Amino acid sequence: MIKAMNITKDFGANTVLKDISTIIKQGQVVAIIGPSGSGKSTFLRCLNLLEEPTSGNIFINDKKITDKKVDKLAIRRNIGMVFQHFHLFPHMTVLENVAYAPQKVKKLSKAEAESTAKKLLDKVGLTDKVAAYPNRLSGGQKQRVAIARALAMEPEIMLFDEPTSALDPEMVKEVLDVMKDLVDTGMTMVIVTHEMNFAKEVADRVLFLADGMLVEEGNPQEFFEHPKTERAQDFLAKVL
Ligand code: ADP
Ligand code: MG
């Protein structure tokens, strides 16, 4: 479903992604881990064209999305993204946050969009918060709204960039539980995370990035128990 081939990204003189290639199949859950500054967010952002690779190509369902002529907005519509800091619309209620894009972009009627939004909010356990404004919510609740909002566009792929890193510890589980439910639906997911136990439990594959390079990739069991490279061994010794 996603094929990244020889992705390189420069910011000025700084090369932050170096020749990264990987294939993610439909329904796979891939965890990206690695030290801060290793290029995890940049790689994720390349997958939905929030960043443009300097060289290399990305294919989604065999469509070359790095082609200059591609309709970036159409590509992004099909790929949901959840950020560390939620990015909810502060002046809209929870329901409006979730129902907005389907009306604006998919041209659904307000009634249709709100009906779908309510179902999604129910799934993430926020039925009682539909009329609340984001500033009334806890971090965990905000992130669950952000997930529901991304799902409202019915994406084929969901990208998560450290979705629990900004949360108080007691709220991490409620967000991870929602993500696990999503895994169970067969969603194709790429997740940058520092939650190693979560990665171990749900990921089909782990990508370990360091210094902009894909240093190691493998199934979680193998990676966490027998990391092959010294770089990965050092990293895991620090975080586990
Ligand atoms: P990670 O998510 O693994 O912490 P990032 O992808 O955010 O790493 O960053 C990788 C490197 O790219 C860092 O050195 C960072 O400073 C740099 N970088 C990221 N975004 C930009 C940008 N928009 N402009 C310039 N440098 C950037
Ligand atoms: Mg990052």
Side-chain angles (χ1 to χ4, degrees), residues 185-213:
T185 69
M187 178 66 78
T188 306
M189 295 163 73
V190 187
I191 309 166
V192 175
T193 185
H194 293 294
E195 294 290 332
M196 298 301 152
N197 287 325
F198 178 73
K200 225 185 269 186
E201 192 182 339
V202 308
D204 297 300
R205 200 145 49 87
V206 173
L207 309 186
F208 174 69
L209 263 62
D211 298 326
M213 286 176 287

Side-chain angles (χ1 to χ4, degrees), residues 200 216-228 236:
K200 225 185 269 186
E216 200 163 325
E217 90 179 284
N219 79 52
Q221 209 74 15
E222 207 174 276
F223 175 77
F224 286 108
E225 272 152 45
H226 307 287
K228 290 192 223 37
L236 290 175

Side-chain angles (χ1 to χ4, degrees), residues 72-103:
K72 285 187 187 175
L73 292 178
I75 302 296
R76 264 178 229 146
R77 232 169 270 163
N78 189 34
I79 306 178
M81 186 151 184
V82 174
F83 303 89
Q84 186 176 349
H85 294 290
F86 329 122
H87 298 292
L88 297 180
F89 307 121
H91 58 291
M92 291 184 194
T93 64
V94 164
L95 186 67
E96 286 164 352
N97 262 279
V98 179
Y100 178 75
Q103 292 174 73

Side-chain angles (χ1 to χ4, degrees), residues 40-41 161-162 192:
K40 304 181 297 296
S41 295
D161 194 354
E162 299 196 29
V192 175

